[in-house]
Amino acid sequence: MVVPDIANPFFPAVIKAVETEARSVGLTLLLCDSGNDVAQEADALRRLVDHQIDGMIISVCDRIASRQAVAFTADRLPLVQIDRQTVGGSGYFVGVDQVDSVNRILRHLREQGYRRYAYITAGLEISTARQRLEAFVAHLRSSDPGVERRVLVGEFSIEWGYEATRRLLEAGSGQDEQLPDALVCADDLIAVGAVQCLRQRGIRVPDEVAVTGFDDTVLATASRPQLTTVRQPLDLLGRAAVGLLRRAIQEPRMPARSTVLPAELVVRESSVRSNLPAKLPRTM
């Protein structure tokens, strides 16, 4: 298995799910971290192919730049992409419904009375980042004019979440731009940075500005306030990825197929206004 960033809390959870399922069916998992580097990712794939492994599960660095190395590998052994994927893909993919997940977040925020949104995301070379952003803009384009001007693109990190929020606050302090009342973040790392910046500036979360994340990592409950976020069904993803890989190993000519699973919205303190009663946490 090759992942882009083992320091991101999401990927150790994915690895654990895959390894648990692999072990249960008698497979041994070899793990490589590509360090968000396409060249390092390609080198890892070549080395693993040379070691005559039975199959590969990968979450790619770049939806376009990773294509060549992924295609090289998929021509030589069964390969399943998980969570992130390249344009065109390898034929086998397991992930969650990104559009439905974002729509759940936005419906919840609207129910809570939030009306003006900003979106903080990682680089759009990452397939999940691009899909979430496209879903966000499509959902809000008619109801929140100018929402596309409130999209900030950076990286999956706490530091970027903090910096992006600082920029939004500075823009909102001018006469021509109103501060958003909800920050939708592409993952929990970004959301934690956003909360830190807001709290340091004396802005109450969620009564003045709501913050939501994505992935339901350990950071979501460690944050204060705890984060509303999207929980991916990791056990099901791991089971599906290993199951699809085993079938591809057993049936070398198996047609391309994708497994897309629903995620759930976990509602916590960061998006529920105190004047609107709710039971916490709850899922949607």
Side-chain angles (χ1 to χ4, degrees), residues 52-208:
Q52 299 181 327
I53 59 173
D54 295 304
M56 171 75 66
I57 296 173
I58 183 172
S59 187
V60 298
C61 292
D62 190 301
R63 55 191 289 272
I64 295 175
S66 296
R67 283 188 299 180
Q68 183 175 354
V70 167
F72 167 87
T73 306
D75 284 344
R76 289 158 176 78
L77 52 83
L79 182 148
V80 174
Q81 297 193 59
I82 187 169
D83 184 55
R84 304 179 184 182
Q85 59 184 321
T86 54
V87 174
S90 68
Y92 307 127
F93 172 72
V94 174
V96 302
D97 189 331
Q98 306 292 338
V99 174
D100 177 67
S101 299
V102 172
N103 287 341
R104 288 176 187 235
I105 293 170
L106 296 175
R107 286 195 298 266
H108 161 69
L109 290 172
R110 186 158 294 275
E111 289 171 0
Q112 292 295 312
Y114 300 102
R115 292 293 181 268
R116 184 177 174 84
Y117 304 86
Y119 191 75
I120 308 175
T121 185
L124 301 184
E125 72 279 2
I126 299 171
S127 63
T128 51
R130 177 174 290 271
Q131 290 163 3
R132 292 169 195 172
L133 173 59
E134 289 174 349
F136 173 84
V137 172
H139 189 108
L140 293 173
R141 187 178 283 120
S142 60
S143 62
D144 186 8
V147 69
E148 291 174 78
R149 296 196 302 270
R150 284 175 254 121
V151 172
L152 291 91
V153 180
E155 62 182 15
F156 286 129
S157 72
I158 293 174
E159 293 77 14
W160 168 239
Y162 186 100
E163 171 62 18
T165 304
R166 184 191 64 79
R167 295 182 191 180
L168 285 167
L169 295 178
E170 290 183 354
S173 64
Q175 295 181 351
D176 298 329
E177 186 69 21
Q178 182 183 351
L179 182 66
D181 59 4
L183 303 185
V184 181
C185 301
D187 82 336
D188 291 345
L189 287 165
I190 294 173
V192 166
V195 169
Q196 288 179 354
C197 184
L198 290 168
R199 293 187 67 184
Q200 287 184 13
R201 300 296 180 96
I203 297 172
R204 292 174 296 153
V205 179
D207 288 340
E208 294 181 87

Side-chain angles (χ1 to χ4, degrees), residues 6-23:
I6 202 168
N8 183 326
F10 173 69
F11 287 107
V14 175
I15 293 163
K16 180 179 179 181
V18 169
E19 185 173 26
T20 297
E21 180 64 19
R23 189 185 304 114

Side-chain angles (χ1 to χ4, degrees), residues 224-280:
R224 293 294 179 269
Q226 294 187 353
L227 291 175
T228 290
T229 187
V230 171
R231 177 184 296 158
Q232 301 198 47
L234 297 182
D235 290 344
L236 293 179
L237 285 173
R239 196 175 308 148
V242 173
L244 187 56
L245 184 63
R246 291 184 72 205
R247 287 198 59 184
I249 292 170
Q250 295 163 2
E251 304 173 34
R253 297 184 180 180
M254 185 177 74
R257 63 183 61 191
S258 297
T259 300
V260 179
L261 301 171
E264 63 180 349
L265 179 65
V266 181
V267 178
R268 297 192 180 97
E269 299 160 350
S270 70
S271 66
V272 179
R273 280 176 164 153
S274 58
N275 60 344
L276 291 174
K279 295 180 179 179
L280 301 176

